[in-house]
Amino acid sequence: MRSNGILSSVGVLAACVASANALVPLWSRCGGEGWTGETECVEGAYCKVLNQWWSSCERVPVTECTTFGPYVDPNSQTDGLNSFAVRRGKYFGTAGDWIYEDVMNCTWARIASDPSEFGSFTPGNSQKWDSTEPSQGSFNYADSDQIVAWALKYGKKIRGHTLVWHSQLPSWVTTGSWNATTLKAVLENHVTQVATHFKGKMFHWDVVNEAFNEDGTFRNSIFYQILGESYIEIALRAAAAADPAAKLYINDYNVEGVNAKSTALLNLFKRLKAAGVPVHGLGLQGHLISGQVPTDIETNLNRMAAAGAEIAITELDIRMNVPPANQTAADAQLAKDYETVTKACKVTGRCVGITVWNFTDKNSWVPSVFAGQGDALPWDKNFQKKPAYYAIARTLKP
Ligand code: XIL
């Protein structure tokens, strides 16, 4: 379900058809004896000579691409979203993937690697079940290891994402004929293997993702169908045993304001705590709509904090219809919305940080999933900072 990746490749194909001078796509021929076609590769790729007759567009190795340089203590930086957050005892982070033009794009890599902007990193797709255990018992960490190593190199703390989720779940799990014993074993094994593999490298783990329906009942995932609510405890215990240092989160969307779903999430947290289950945090994804940010977000964060939960805004983006009728007004509204969310985290002592779900409109998942919407992030498609960026900075600046 990597729709944004698929969409961008379709975009590349369309561009090739439309123009005779289209740049050569990744892995395609760009030179060699007798070649009369285009020789310049798409962004993030270069034309590598394979032999006398054949050159091909290959990815620019990230070592050549990442220009930020070695890790710099964000405390020594004068500005940047993470530098400001760090001085408040919090972090500011982003998400991304190696593929889909994230780390492959040198401008992206330069901004993302800058520790004054981002102190935390969330792998956007590579740690999900379909990537890490695509067939039963066969674990694959090629993509996740690569992005984790990249983020660690730039001093990021890493939010592991995610161990148990109904989506991006391989069909061997969703269509298997399980009973409580067999599915419990599968779940425990998955969580144990993945959390052990990344042991010591994740500061947070989104152990359980999107467990609830909008009305606060449990989502009828395969895990809930077979194991009931106990699947959550099983996953948390396995994660704690495998990586005792990681803070364990339950993560969901539409839980930023006070509503049936956030109340259910909070009640789950209280039940787990009372039962002595290892759980530390509530992750509020923050996939919001501009002009519709819940006005009671602070109240909601407060009641979660009062229950002893650590809180993180884990996937913030604030989408709008695009193109907006009035760009200036849209920019101003978005800035106000980012300010509202940032302020809620700022004033809630137990809110430990904010992660945006990618930072540039160029690479956001929003347009591929919400038709006609976009412009949801603090940097625009050309990597320019929008008023929303400055609103976050102003709000966090000590
Ligand atoms: C999204 C990714 O950004 C997309 O690339 C992918 O196609 C679908 O998943 N909630 C989550 C994230 O917890 O994992 C989702 O990420 C966005 C919604």
Side-chain angles (χ1 to χ4, degrees), residues 73-96:
D73 181 350
N75 281 300
S76 72
Q77 301 283 298
T78 50
D79 55 18
L81 304 183
N82 185 56
S83 297
F84 294 148
V86 163
R87 279 183 254 148
R88 294 183 176 279
K90 303 181 196 280
Y91 64 83
F92 199 89
T94 186

Side-chain angles (χ1 to χ4, degrees), residues 1-4 124-125 128 161 165 168 209-210 251 285 287 315 357 365:
M1 217 190 77
R2 294 173 163 179
S3 34
N4 46 359
N125 282 293
K128 291 171 179 174
H161 177 82
W165 189 26
Q168 292 177 276
N209 199 26
E210 302 182 353
N251 193 47
Q285 291 184 3
H287 295 297
E315 306 180 15
W357 204 241
W365 75 307

Side-chain angles (χ1 to χ4, degrees), residues 299-322:
T299 313
N300 189 42
L301 264 57
N302 253 310
R303 67 177 184 153
M304 290 175 167
E310 192 174 287
I311 298 149
I313 311 288
T314 54
E315 306 180 15
L316 185 59
D317 50 27
I318 310 183
R319 60 189 186 267
M320 64 180 79
N321 292 328
V322 285

Side-chain angles (χ1 to χ4, degrees), residues 21 68 97-98 120 166 205 226 250 256-257 276-277 299 321 348 388:
N21 298 324
F68 187 78
D97 287 286
W98 192 274
S120 167
H166 68 280
W205 257 117
I226 308 285
I250 303 177
E256 296 75 26
V277 178
T299 313
N321 292 328
T348 307

